[in-house]
């Protein structure tokens, strides 16, 4: 397995302007691009921002247009036209996507009886996965579609996800993008939380906080053999990645001894087969906040030892402002430009470095110096640390060990929180005995204090995070998992969510903002957010390995399972805690009603039925414990199933539309079945049908198509009939339910009662019918699709 991939294209939009040329000119000048904030009321003299004020990005889709411009430039530099994007993966990092559209229209959202076209457009663009849908449609990207939201580390995690997919041969080419914008709620939330300063001066003795801005960065990554076949010119190589979690991660306060950043640096260098002596330049996270700058300095001194004082370190944020998830991509581009041009940009405004630091921050003036290896570091709220390393394209790197087969990844525990009650057995029993009731939305009986110590005070945190934590508690108990602190570094936590409780968060912040922004409090800003569930799980399990929250929508739960499996296969962890969660708050329910997605109140969910009236939104969480088979045996764990296949694909569709032909779902299903080596075996399929007629019919078409073209023999059911549409949690709950059905051929017959049984391959199973494998599929409007195959190992 090759260790590095080539970077063949770059694209960027910052306050310096559009394009890599404008950005590099800003690097050469070395002056900050910050300017007075426009369109947002400011407070306490904090008037600066890194906004992109060019008229070409002045429309309502400010962020989408910046991201499109960055990706367009990257593809053009790589020499790839729209006809070359088929099968190309898209990996996106974003904190809030185009959420500002709804935030700016919150008063209308809260009061209207019917959504205006502008509000409807904003609601469609609100989920983080929507920005990926926009990019995929614009550039006809039909490969895997992946979105992550891990605060300021998101861009580097997107690079890491793409690098893993390329190394494992899942794709030959990837577009990686990071994009975010300065929004009123971001300004006021971060100001109330004490993060914002009056100026952004990293490593300065008088630094007092960070300053946010707008931006987008993009790269085209290619497997070296694929790039060589088409004669591509490499700019650099992406040689390694590292993602770790703080010890005892907090909502915003990082690990103050620098230990997590040390582990992250060591991880990225180990992954690339490099040593600290190989590094010529470090692009620091460099936010200008008192503690983060101090932590990075401590980490650099511990990692680089005596070399630290002579190693050039600079902060791109001193030039552009803090661009949230876009910053890692922009900073990675700065690293690549330093390799290509032998120039290191300065840390702007650093006329008085902190005397306690004593490192070379390249103050005020840039420096011409050969760079053949550069590390880019990022740190995210919730304990996430992520770094990547770039080298000259022709630099020789060692071969990596081949990954273990996917079938060596096994499920040793499962936990479910849903309408059936807590625990995997409660879910399975309720389904088999037809005791589950259609969901009424929120789980009235759920109480997080029944799962963790009430003194922790988690009741006031994001409900989605609470559901994720509860499912994990049950899964760890089911697996007999006891994680002593010494092993925490080898434990990864990966969860998927469509919304992560952010509609309720936006409601809370917008209500306060409209009344008086000064009413926003620190807890409003910090105690919610997509990634909080992963933070709480990592804290509980003392998990210090890779942590990540995927936010691509209904497919995010399956993508989380696949990511955990990738980490296990490549030796990046020993235990992967994976799952999906979503909560149902009044704001989300209202948005679905305004979009016309929901069935009338009291109507049942009727997947695959011609009489389906829409989805029945609900909440829930599912969690799996994944391990390598040999490790599970060594600790005497019971193995529930092995992961046999995974597939992911996309149809490039306009925002919110559904591919009625099911092409993407068929491609994902076919890839998963081929990897699993299923040939003629009867297979139980838990689909993602949720009462949305277009999605349901697309799934039927996909299953029929694959069955007709192969010896695939499916029996198709949908868990959503009883649980409601639990979004990203649905596919993980389907895995748990399906695994309970595999032993002895037990099947909840009624789940397919309204299915289209006119085709033999989709008929309900007869008495005594046995099945050899479980397939779970998921798809979303906009075209993303995924499928996973499991084989039972219970007698």
């Amino acid at each position: 397995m090759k260790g590095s991939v080539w970077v063949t294209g770059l694209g960027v939009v910052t306050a310096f302007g559009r394009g890599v040329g404008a950005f590099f000119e800003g690097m050469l000048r070395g002056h900050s691009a910050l300017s007075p904030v426009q369109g947002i009321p400011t407070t306490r003299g904090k008037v600066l921002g890194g906004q992109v004020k060019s008229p070409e990005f002045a429309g309502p889709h400010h962020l989408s247009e910046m991201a499109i411009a960055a990706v367009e430039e990257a593809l053009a530099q790589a020499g790839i036209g729209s006809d070359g994007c088929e099968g190309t993966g898209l990996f996106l990092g974003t904190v809030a996507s185009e959420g500002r559209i709804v935030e700016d229209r919150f008063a209308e959202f809260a009061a209207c009886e019917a959504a205006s076209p502008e509000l409807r457009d904003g609601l469609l663009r609100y989920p983080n996965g929507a920005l990926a849908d926009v990019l995929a449609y614009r550039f006809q990207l039909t490969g895997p579609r992946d979105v992550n939201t891990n605060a300021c580390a998101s861009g580097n995690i997107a690079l890491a996800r793409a690098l893993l997919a390329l190394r494992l041969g899942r794709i030959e080419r990837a577009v990686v993008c990071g994009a975010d914008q300065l929004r009123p709620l971001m300004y006021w939330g971060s100001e109330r939380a004490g993060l914002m300063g009056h100026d952004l001066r990293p490593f300065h003795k008088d630094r007092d906080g960070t300053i946010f801005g707008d931006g987008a960065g993009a790269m085209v990554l290619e497997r070296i053999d694929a790039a060589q076949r088409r004669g591509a010119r490499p700019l650099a190589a992406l040689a390694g990645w590292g993602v770790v979690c703080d010890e005892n991660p907090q909502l915003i306060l990082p690990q103050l001894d620098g230990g997590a950043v040390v582990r992250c640096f060591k991880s990225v260098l180990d992954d690339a087969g490099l040593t600290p002596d190989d590094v010529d330049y470090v692009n620091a996270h460099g936010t200008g906040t008192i503690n983060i700058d101090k932590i990075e300095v401590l980490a650099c001194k511990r990692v680089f030892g005596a070399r630290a004082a002579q190693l050039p370190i600079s902060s791109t944020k001193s030039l552009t402002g803090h661009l949230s998830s876009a910053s890692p991509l922009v900073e990675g581009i700065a690293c690549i430009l330093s390799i290509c041009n032998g120039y290191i940009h300065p840390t702007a405004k650093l006329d008085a470095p902190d005397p306690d630091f004593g490192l070379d921050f390249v103050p005020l003036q840039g420096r011409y110096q050969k760079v053949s290896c550069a590390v880019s570091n990022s740190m995210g709220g919730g304990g996430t640390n992520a770094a990547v390393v770039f080298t000259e394209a022709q630099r020789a790197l060692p071969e990596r060990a081949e990954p273990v087969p996917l079938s060596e990844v096994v499920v040793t525990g499962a936990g479910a929180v849903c309408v059936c009650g807590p625990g995997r057995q409660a879910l399975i029993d309720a389904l088999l005995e037809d005791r589950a009731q259609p969901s009424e939305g929120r789980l009235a009986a759920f109480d997080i204090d029944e799962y963790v110590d009430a003194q922790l005070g988690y009741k006031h945190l994001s409900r989605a995070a609470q559901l994720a934590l509860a499912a994990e508690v049950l899964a760890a108990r089911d697996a007999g998992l006891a994680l002593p602190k010494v092993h925490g570094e080898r434990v990864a936590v990966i969860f998927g969510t469509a919304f992560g409780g952010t509609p309720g968060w936006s409601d809370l912040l917008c209500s306060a903002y409209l009344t008086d922004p000064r009413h926003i409090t620190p807890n409003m800003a910090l105690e919610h957010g997509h990634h909080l569930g992963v933070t709480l799980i990592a804290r509980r399990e003392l998990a210090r390995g890779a942590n990540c929250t995927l936010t691509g929508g209904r497919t995010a739960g399956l993508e989380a399972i696949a990511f955990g499996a990738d980490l296990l296969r490549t030796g990046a962890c020993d235990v992967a805690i994976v799952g999906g969660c979503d909560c149902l708050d009044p704001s989300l329910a209202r948005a679905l009603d305004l979009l016309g997605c929901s069935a009338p109140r009291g109507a049942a969910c009727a997947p695959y039925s011609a009489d389906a009236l829409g989805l029945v939104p609900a909440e829930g969480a599912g969690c799996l414990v994944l391990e390598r088979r040999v490790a599970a045996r060594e600790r005497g764990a019971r193995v529930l199933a092995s992961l046999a296949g995974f597939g992911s694909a996309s149809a490039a569709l306009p925002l919110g539309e559904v591919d009625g032909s099911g092409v993407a779902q068929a491609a994902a299903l076919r890839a998963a079945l081929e990897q699993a080596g299923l040939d003629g075996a009867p297979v139980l399929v838990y689909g993602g049908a949720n009462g949305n007629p277009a999605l349901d019919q697309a799934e039927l078409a996909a299953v029929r198509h694959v069955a007709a073209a192969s010896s695939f023999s499916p029996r198709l059911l949908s868990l959503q009939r009883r649980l409601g549409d639990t979004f990203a949690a649905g596919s993980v709950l389907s895995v748990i339910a399906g695994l309970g059905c595999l032993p002895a051929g037990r099947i909840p017959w009624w789940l397919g009662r309204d299915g289209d049984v006119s085709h033999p391959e989709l008929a309900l199973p007869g008495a005594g019918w046995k099945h050899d494998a479980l397939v779970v599929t998921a798809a979303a409007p906009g075209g993303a699709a995924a499928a996973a195959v499991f084989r039972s190992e219970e007698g």
Side-chain angles (χ1 to χ4, degrees), residues 372-391:
S372 62
C373 175
V375 173
S376 178
N377 182 48
S378 63
M379 301 162 63
T384 304
N385 302 269
V388 292
V389 59
F390 299 94
T391 67

Side-chain angles (χ1 to χ4, degrees), residues 210-233:
T210 198
I211 290 177
F212 290 97
D214 306 336
M219 297 185 194
V220 175
L221 307 181
E222 300 188 63
R223 286 176 59 94
I224 293 174
D225 53 352
Q228 288 174 330
R229 282 197 302 271
R230 70 178 191 88
R233 183 180 70 86

Side-chain angles (χ1 to χ4, degrees), residues 597-664:
C597 299
S598 300
R601 294 291 183 266
C605 182
Y608 309 124
S609 171
D611 298 326
L613 300 174
L615 62 89
V616 177
E619 62 184 12
C623 180
L624 304 177
V625 176
L626 304 182
E627 302 178 66
R628 285 188 295 274
R629 186 186 304 275
V630 64
R633 285 175 176 168
E634 286 176 356
R635 75 175 185 88
R638 173 203 55 203
V639 173
L640 301 177
S642 58
L643 183 56
F646 181 78
S648 180
S650 300
L653 302 173
L655 189 63
E657 291 194 10
V658 173
D659 174 22
S661 66
V663 170

Side-chain angles (χ1 to χ4, degrees), residues 102 109 112-115 119-120 122-124 126-127 441-442 498-499 503 554 582-601 613-619 690 692 695 724-728 781:
V102 174
F109 169 74
C112 70
E113 295 183 3
L119 177 59
R120 182 179 177 84
L123 292 173
L124 288 172
Y126 180 89
R442 289 172 71 88
F499 300 99
R554 286 183 173 83
D582 267 302
C583 69
L584 181 63
D585 53 47
S587 294
L588 176 57
R590 177 167 176 75
L592 294 170
D593 284 342
L594 288 173
L595 288 172
C597 299
S598 300
R601 294 291 183 266
L613 300 174
L615 62 89
V616 177
E619 62 184 12
N690 62 357
N692 177 321
L695 273 177
D725 186 359
T726 53
F727 303 98

Side-chain angles (χ1 to χ4, degrees), residues 344-498:
I344 298 172
H345 74 71
T347 300
K349 302 181 182 179
L350 190 54
D351 55 354
D354 190 318
D356 293 333
F357 289 170
L359 298 183
D360 179 7
F361 299 114
V362 194
L364 302 178
Q365 296 293 324
R367 183 180 306 161
Y368 285 94
Q369 177 177 324
K370 179 175 175 56
V371 176
S372 62
C373 175
V375 173
S376 178
N377 182 48
S378 63
M379 301 162 63
T384 304
N385 302 269
V388 292
V389 59
F390 299 94
T391 67
E392 291 176 306
Q394 304 305 328
R395 183 175 185 134
L397 293 172
E399 291 284 333
R400 300 179 56 82
E402 288 298 315
V404 302
L406 183 61
S407 59
E408 291 302 302
V409 176
V410 297
V411 181
T412 57
V417 178
C418 62
V419 68
C420 298
R424 76 178 178 99
Q425 201 59 49
L427 170 60
I428 294 164
D429 290 345
L431 294 178
L432 290 173
E433 298 168 16
D434 199 2
R435 288 189 289 104
Q437 296 299 318
S439 174
E440 296 180 358
R442 289 172 71 88
L443 303 176
F446 176 74
D447 185 348
I448 189 59
D449 290 348
E450 295 179 3
Y451 300 86
V452 296
D453 188 342
Q455 294 184 358
L456 293 172
Y458 286 168
K459 275 188 174 180
H460 64 283
L461 300 180
S462 161
R463 184 173 175 87
Q466 294 179 45
L467 291 167
L469 178 60
E472 188 278 330
V473 169
L474 295 168
R477 187 182 303 160
D478 188 53
L481 197 63
L483 298 174
K485 187 174 181 179
V486 69
H487 296 310
E489 201 167 320
R490 302 287 298 164
V491 178
V493 183
I494 316 293
F495 255 70
T497 185

Side-chain angles (χ1 to χ4, degrees), residues 99-390:
R100 180 170 182 176
I101 299 173
V102 174
E103 292 169 4
D104 287 347
R105 293 182 171 273
F106 179 75
E108 176 188 351
F109 169 74
C112 70
E113 295 183 3
S116 65
E118 294 79 10
L119 177 59
R120 182 179 177 84
D121 174 69
L123 292 173
L124 288 172
R125 292 172 182 268
Y126 180 89
N128 278 12
L131 180 57
D133 297 345
V134 168
L135 292 173
Y137 176 62
R138 172 65 175 76
F139 299 104
Q140 295 297 292
L141 304 169
T142 61
R145 192 177 305 176
D146 185 276
V147 187
N148 87 86
T149 301
N150 294 271
C152 314
S154 305
N156 273 352
I157 291 178
L159 286 167
R161 290 278 286 142
L163 179 55
L164 268 176
L166 289 158
R167 282 179 177 173
L168 290 169
R170 193 167 295 134
I171 51 175
E172 292 190 344
R173 181 182 304 128
V175 170
V176 185
C177 181
D180 267 309
Q181 63 180 316
L182 178 59
R183 306 160 9 253
L185 297 190
M186 173 186 281
Y187 174 94
W188 280 92
S190 58
E191 199 283 328
R192 298 288 101 169
L195 299 178
M196 288 189 64
H198 293 82
D199 203 349
L200 204 168
R201 296 183 291 178
F203 311 115
H204 197 283
K205 69 179 183 64
D206 297 323
R207 66 191 184 280
D208 70 344
T210 198
I211 290 177
F212 290 97
D214 306 336
M219 297 185 194
V220 175
L221 307 181
E222 300 188 63
R223 286 176 59 94
I224 293 174
D225 53 352
Q228 288 174 330
R229 282 197 302 271
R230 70 178 191 88
R233 183 180 70 86
L235 302 171
L238 176 58
W241 69 277
V243 180
V244 306
C245 185
D246 283 359
E247 185 175 322
N248 188 28
Q250 302 300 307
L251 305 184
I252 194 64
L253 186 68
Q255 188 175 331
L256 295 178
D257 65 0
V261 181
V262 170
R263 288 188 289 112
C264 191
F265 271 115
K266 290 182 177 180
S267 178
V268 70
L269 293 175
D270 288 347
D271 183 69
L274 299 169
T275 71
D277 289 341
D278 293 315
V279 178
D280 301 310
Y281 167 58
V282 173
N283 191 293
H285 187 51
T287 60
T289 53
I290 293 173
N291 284 329
I292 289 179
D293 287 5
K294 185 183 299 183
I295 290 165
E296 281 200 284
V297 169
L298 288 172
C300 286
K301 288 180 177 179
R302 289 173 59 183
V303 170
F304 297 105
R307 286 191 66 226
Q310 288 76 49
L311 182 66
I313 302 168
S314 65
S315 167
T316 303
K317 292 182 182 70
S318 71
L319 304 176
T320 62
H322 191 336
L323 310 181
S324 298
S325 62
S327 273
L329 267 297
V330 174
E331 290 157 12
I333 291 170
C335 289
I336 293 169
L337 293 175
S338 73
I339 291 172
C340 293
N341 298 285
Y343 173 79
I344 298 172
H345 74 71
T347 300
K349 302 181 182 179
L350 190 54
D351 55 354
D354 190 318
D356 293 333
F357 289 170
L359 298 183
D360 179 7
F361 299 114
V362 194
L364 302 178
Q365 296 293 324
R367 183 180 306 161
Y368 285 94
Q369 177 177 324
K370 179 175 175 56
V371 176
S372 62
C373 175
V375 173
S376 178
N377 182 48
S378 63
M379 301 162 63
T384 304
N385 302 269
V388 292
V389 59
F390 299 94

